Amino acid sequence: MNNKMINELLSQMTLEEKASLCSGKDAWHTQEIARLAVPSSRLSDGPHGLRKTVAGTEDNLGLVESIEAVCFPAGCATAASFNRELLVKMGEVIGNECQAEEVDIILGPAVNIKRSPLCGRNFEYYSEDPLLATEMAGALIQGVQSQNIGTSIKHFLANNQETRRMTVSAEVDERALREIYLAAFEGAVKKAKPWTVMCSYNRINGTYAAENHLFLTKILREEWGFDGYVMSDWGAVNDRPADLAAGLELEMPSSYGINDALIVKAVQEGRLNEADVDEACRRVLEIVGRCQENRDRSAVFDREKDHAAAKEIAYETIVLLKNDQILPLKETDKIAMIGHYAMAPRYQGGGSSHINSHKVASVLEALKDKPMISFARGYDDRQETIDEALLAEALQAAKAAEVAVFFAGLPDHYESEGYDREHMRLPAVQNEMIEKIAAVQPNIVVVLHNGSPVEMPWIDKVKGLLETYLSGEAVGEACADLLFGKVSPSARLPETFPLRLEDNPSYLNFPGDKERVVYQEGIFVGYRYYDKKKLPVLFPFGYGLSYTEFQYANLKLSADAAKDTDVIQVSVDVTNTGRMKGKEVVQLYVAKPVSAVNRPEQELRDFTKIELAPGETRTVSFELSKRAFAYWDVNQHDWCVEAGEYEIRIGKSSRDMVATGKIKLSPEKGQKVVYHMNSTLGDMMRDERAKPYLQELLKDNTLAGTTDLSEAGAKEHQDIASAMLNDLPVRALISFGGGKKTFAELQEILDQINHPS
Ligand code: BGC
């Protein structure tokens, strides 16, 4: 539908019809206007598969059966792949499924930052790091939209918990919003151009996301250039006319005419501009038209083929976290598979993303042809305490084997949309079982199934650990191939696993009180906090092992010094020095060791994944531009680069740097600080532009004399005087200046600094 057609339609629509276009027809469709041949489009949940509800169901919580589909690894797991191409591929497959099922827009990806390990929906989200989150989301969007199916990146913004998600106010400072929470959306919105964005339920700094003009219009549209439509999360509308004016085009689900009438009334009473309603309709129509024009009637949903794709993806979503020379297992080993999840894996979370999987492969089924494998259920995942009979059977199996593989994880009701976790522990029964099995069988490997970190009190007693996250319906097959070394693990943790929940930076402020949750930790989320505090962690961000080994050499930077507007090329050689083909994630962090700004120890600024045969070397290249070095300056309300030396660190995780290069940057524009009566002398001293004027400011000043080292007495007196001088605002030179300078004279000097002739 081009502009002309849309204008034509708008000119023929009544105000009531226009208002009706701004809300859903029902739970899953946009409104049609038959009289003008405006079609409806079909929305459907995802994002790790298709949750197309059966006609007539209003369910948005995954409680009612949807069509049989393929469950791909959830966001927590796909982020662990650190593989953009893989996510593009997954998006293509899901996009094709949508075409075949006549779904126009799939509701995802969900990109909210993992502020606390307890967020019930962490399994759907990608990372604690905004770059990783936004790159993964962008890749999925690119894949889905390449099939001419729309996406809805969600939940915009600061929806980082389930507790009171529909009303709580996330109190987040400007820098944390920009560097962490907005950044998780920004890259994907700018680069991958989602057709729609879903605003969240919560308030941000007091204002509902649905009526937050700053985020929906100023930042999303005006700064980032978003040109699709914003829809509400299901039931997120607060005050329909106000929401529309703020930039929320589509209310979902339908309000059955009630809110549409409020729009009409607001226009009639002059509280809402009809032009805003027209604009909202224009955006909805543009996408509705795009959906209709791009329907591919030849698409086929081949569930078996897509299951195979889900398995390929799962190979890269399972993280090897510990391996004391026990993995891969040998075909000839006598192995006891123990645990409920060996026969019935936990592979997805609960809520609106829940897929009705057409088939699920357990590890036991995948290994059914291997004669050396025994099985004991060990525990019932609905029970919290040990079942003596199941325990006895498990211990016997473990003793009789050469290796025990224990399948642990979080039961369904532990993590879901709608509520947060209460603690970070596995069910006590599983922790106890691991200890008891380790006591009779030292060769024990644990395979975990969980959407978010868990504490591991038994970590020193096990020899191997595989974190499968929630890796979709093919997890059992993928896991079997990884356990037996058919494929080398290549996933990395997209989040820190803290030793204890209490170590997490949000611990004192999660989930907040009745009204608000204060993001007190600011930008120090995840590894930005743990690394800065030098806290020991269970497993750091970016960590993961392989069956082969990689070595790094020849880190090169295109310059030693540059302007912040230059693009810096970085390259490093990576060699597979092991004996197996494998994939390596090359992580690039930027650090500013000496900084006047409170910054993280280092921040992930790029990453890539490569596959290398044994002995093969490849040169990996990155390009860094201004944003990689910048922080958000709350005074200038802009991205700023401090002058000085930066480190480019290549890491295997945020705690394991393997090569470091240095570069000096100077800001192209410089940070033009305007000096005034309350500027401090210390700040002026550190600025080359202001420094030459200090002598003039301090001339004849009594205080300045007290810092003269040759004359002053005790060291502490000098320290006090120079500290005082450092923090002294210009205006105080009146009080401490012995009456030698007037305000007018001080202002004249300030004017000279600010506007040199
Ligand atoms: C969830 C969204 C979901 C929507 C529709 C809401 O409760 O927060 O993520 O897309 O329902 O099911």
Side-chain angles (χ1 to χ4, degrees):
M1 233 184 266
N2 59 29
N3 263 341
K4 199 168 153 240
M5 292 158 82
I6 293 177
N7 286 339
E8 182 65 32
L9 277 173
L10 285 174
S11 71
Q12 294 177 48
M13 279 183 203
T14 62
L15 177 59
E16 285 71 14
E17 282 170 334
K18 289 186 212 167
S20 78
L21 260 193
C22 298
S23 92
K25 170 182 161 191
D26 53 33
W28 300 111
H29 295 87
T30 61
Q31 184 62 51
E32 75 238 321
I33 303 179
R35 174 179 90 79
L36 298 169
V38 172
S40 156
S41 55
R42 162 90 206 195
L43 319 176
S44 191
D45 263 317
H48 49 259
L50 196 50
R51 189 178 76 88
K52 183 182 170 192
T53 50
V54 181
T57 61
E58 297 284 295
D59 166 56
N60 70 307
L61 293 174
L63 305 175
V64 174
E65 206 75 324
S66 46
I67 62 157
E68 279 192 14
V70 175
C71 181
F72 293 87
C76 56
T78 51
S81 76
F82 277 73
N83 186 342
R84 297 175 181 89
E85 289 77 36
L86 193 78
L87 276 262
V88 173
K89 199 171 105 188
M90 176 168 146
E92 287 165 358
V93 176
I94 293 174
N96 176 67
E97 292 178 357
C98 289
Q99 282 290 4
E101 289 293 333
E102 301 196 345
V103 165
D104 297 301
I105 289 168
I106 184 157
L107 305 177
V111 78
N112 298 87
I113 289 289
K114 298 182 189 205
R115 176 174 175 251
S116 163
L118 297 188
C119 172
R121 251 179 134 170
N122 273 358
F123 70 89
E124 277 185 71
Y125 300 152
Y126 289 116
S127 181
E128 66 189 22
D129 179 82
L131 178 85
L132 181 62
T134 209
E135 288 292 304
M136 290 291 125
L140 191 83
I141 292 169
Q142 188 190 327
V144 171
Q145 294 190 173
S146 72
Q147 305 303 299
N148 291 314
I149 294 295
T151 54
S152 194
I153 189 169
K154 65 190 185 182
H155 311 85
F156 190 64
L157 178 74
N159 178 187
N160 308 96
Q161 65 187 53
E162 293 299 281
T163 309
R164 294 190 206 92
R165 65 171 166 158
M166 296 189 81
T167 52
V168 77
S169 176
E171 305 284 314
V172 200
D173 68 73
E174 180 183 336
R175 185 167 169 211
L177 276 169
R178 288 291 183 163
E179 292 188 21
I180 308 288
Y181 298 98
L182 283 163
F185 289 86
E186 184 181 358
V189 169
K190 283 181 173 168
K191 283 199 274 183
K193 303 211 170 299
W195 294 5
T196 79
V197 168
M198 187 191 291
C199 81
S200 57
Y201 287 123
N202 52 289
R203 290 176 288 153
I204 307 133
N205 296 329
T207 306
Y208 276 101
E211 59 197 47
N212 213 312
H213 188 263
L214 170 66
F215 300 116
L216 298 187
T217 297
K218 281 209 98 42
I219 294 179
L220 185 63
R221 286 200 185 278
E222 294 172 9
E223 271 188 40
W224 297 353
F226 171 66
D227 62 1
Y229 68 74
V230 178
M231 72 176 87
S232 68
D233 197 346
W234 268 230
V237 160
N238 177 51
D239 171 342
R240 189 61 188 109
D243 296 7
L244 193 139
L248 177 79
E249 282 85 26
L250 179 67
E251 168 176 18
M252 286 304 293
S254 174
S255 71
Y256 302 98
I258 294 170
N259 277 337
D260 306 352
L262 294 182
I263 294 178
V264 172
K265 193 158 177 267
V267 172
Q268 285 164 346
E269 291 173 359
R271 286 179 287 114
L272 180 67
N273 293 328
E274 187 159 358
D276 287 348
V277 182
D278 285 358
E279 197 50 35
C281 290
R282 178 184 304 282
R283 288 176 180 144
V284 172
L285 285 171
E286 218 268 308
I287 302 293
V288 167
R290 206 186 289 175
C291 295
Q292 188 196 30
E293 286 149 23
N294 289 295
R295 175 64 53 226
D296 174 3
R297 303 214 179 270
S298 66
V300 177
F301 186 173
D302 180 340
R303 289 167 175 77
E304 283 305 316
K305 190 165 149 239
D306 294 358
H307 178 89
K311 176 178 160 188
E312 289 289 317
I313 295 164
Y315 281 152
E316 296 200 35
T317 61
I318 299 174
V319 199
L320 178 61
L321 290 176
K322 183 167 183 183
N323 191 11
D324 289 347
Q325 295 177 345
I326 194 161
L327 294 173
L329 300 171
K330 290 182 241 4
E331 299 271 336
T332 49
D333 288 341
K334 262 181 92 181
I335 299 162
M337 298 285 180
I338 303 172
H340 182 93
Y341 297 133
M343 62 173 203
R346 176 147 185 276
Y347 63 95
Q348 67 170 327
S352 60
S353 69
H354 198 268
I355 306 293
N356 177 14
S357 308
H358 82 296
K359 76 171 186 189
V360 183
S362 74
V363 79
L364 278 185
E365 281 161 60
L367 295 171
K368 63 178 182 297
D369 297 334
K370 298 222 186 312
M372 305 293 278
I373 289 178
S374 64
F375 168 66
R377 186 173 173 204
Y379 62 91
D380 175 340
D381 89 326
R382 287 159 307 173
Q383 306 293 330
E384 289 286 323
T385 50
I386 289 207
D387 175 313
E388 291 301 332
L390 291 179
L391 171 66
E393 190 193 24
L395 291 179
Q396 201 183 6
K399 270 191 244 169
E402 289 159 301
V403 181
V405 184
F406 188 83
F407 289 78
L410 295 176
D412 277 330
H413 67 276
Y414 266 55
E415 48 183 355
S416 166
E417 177 177 341
Y419 53 90
D420 294 315
R421 281 198 293 167
E422 284 167 14
H423 56 76
M424 213 178 77
R425 297 185 296 275
L426 284 170
V429 56
Q430 297 187 32
N431 282 335
E432 283 170 41
M433 290 282 306
I434 296 173
E435 302 260 358
K436 287 189 192 304
I437 293 167
V440 300
Q441 177 51 269
N443 292 324
I444 172 170
V445 174
V446 172
V447 179
L448 283 172
H449 303 68
N450 44 302
S452 197
V454 291
E455 289 167 18
M456 301 182 202
W458 36 258
I459 188 67
D460 293 334
K461 297 182 185 142
V462 305
K463 287 196 175 165
L465 176 62
L466 264 190
E467 171 60 76
T468 74
Y469 274 115
L470 297 179
S471 273
E473 64 176 49
V475 64
E477 292 161 309
C479 196
D481 287 348
L482 288 165
L483 282 172
F484 282 91
K486 198 170 153 205
V487 178
S488 176
S490 65
R492 304 288 182 265
L493 290 182
E495 63 197 316
T496 311
F497 275 44
L499 282 165
R500 329 171 291 158
L501 178 65
E502 290 83 347
D503 292 344
N504 179 261
S506 75
Y507 181 71
L508 295 176
N509 296 285
F510 184 94
D513 60 30
K514 209 167 144 214
E515 282 293 318
R516 61 188 68 79
V517 47
V518 182
Y519 289 29
Q520 195 86 56
E521 68 285 358
I523 59 163
F524 292 99
V525 177
Y527 70 87
R528 286 168 167 75
Y529 174 81
Y530 299 114
D531 290 355
K532 186 88 177 177
K533 291 269 291 185
K534 298 188 169 51
L535 276 182
V537 296
L538 182 55
F539 297 109
F541 174 85
Y543 181 78
L545 303 168
S546 163
Y547 292 152
T548 187
E549 272 163 39
F550 299 94
Q551 272 178 10
Y552 290 73
N554 292 330
L555 173 62
K556 286 189 195 136
L557 273 58
S558 57
D560 307 329
K563 287 248 156 53
D564 64 348
T565 42
D566 293 339
V567 174
I568 319 293
Q569 322 278 342
V570 179
S571 66
V572 66
D573 294 346
V574 188
T575 305
N576 180 346
T577 54
R579 271 181 267 146
M580 195 177 167
K581 181 169 87 175
K583 291 187 180 176
E584 172 74 333
V585 176
V586 185
Q587 302 165 38
L588 186 155
Y589 296 83
V590 172
K592 176 98 177 62
V594 181
S595 169
V597 181
N598 192 9
R599 300 176 78 126
E601 171 65 28
Q602 63 235 326
E603 293 174 275
L604 184 76
R605 293 308 196 201
D606 208 346
F607 59 90
T608 193
K609 193 169 197 179
I610 49 165
E611 184 169 56
L612 294 174
E616 188 182 350
T617 299
R618 180 105 53 90
T619 303
V620 170
S621 306
F622 299 101
E623 283 191 344
L624 299 177
S625 45
K626 177 173 173 179
R627 190 63 183 270
F629 303 95
Y631 70 96
W632 182 262
D633 184 325
V634 292
N635 295 315
Q636 302 187 55
H637 307 292
D638 201 357
W639 296 103
C640 280
V641 171
E642 287 179 278
E645 191 166 83
Y646 288 78
E647 285 187 9
I648 312 291
R649 302 176 179 171
I650 303 293
K652 286 173 88 70
S653 77
S654 85
R655 292 273 168 110
D656 182 11
M657 298 302 157
V658 291
T660 301
K662 292 188 173 152
I663 184 160
K664 270 212 175 89
L665 286 187
S666 44
E668 170 76 32
K669 279 200 248 148
Q671 276 152 265
K672 179 104 170 76
V673 182
V674 175
Y675 291 102
H676 46 75
M677 285 291 172
N678 281 321
S679 301
T680 68
L681 299 184
D683 284 341
M684 297 172 82
M685 179 102 70
R686 286 182 288 275
D687 180 349
E688 293 301 324
R689 190 165 58 92
K691 204 170 158 187
Y693 295 88
L694 275 175
Q695 226 183 349
E696 175 71 19
L697 270 176
L698 291 167
K699 201 163 151 220
D700 301 328
N701 186 291
T702 46
L703 193 80
T706 59
T707 61
D708 182 340
L709 300 189
S710 58
E711 303 223 338
K715 165 96 171 68
E716 62 266 31
H717 290 170
Q718 299 165 29
D719 290 349
I720 294 171
S722 51
M724 179 79 186
L725 208 55
N726 185 62
D727 292 343
L728 205 71
V730 173
R731 66 163 155 73
L733 289 173
I734 295 291
S735 319
F736 297 108
K740 298 277 168 50
K741 282 250 177 355
T742 63
F743 276 119
E745 284 165 342
L746 291 175
Q747 187 58 51
E748 202 177 313
I749 301 172
L750 290 174
D751 290 346
Q752 282 173 30
I753 306 174
N754 293 332
H755 313 288
S757 45

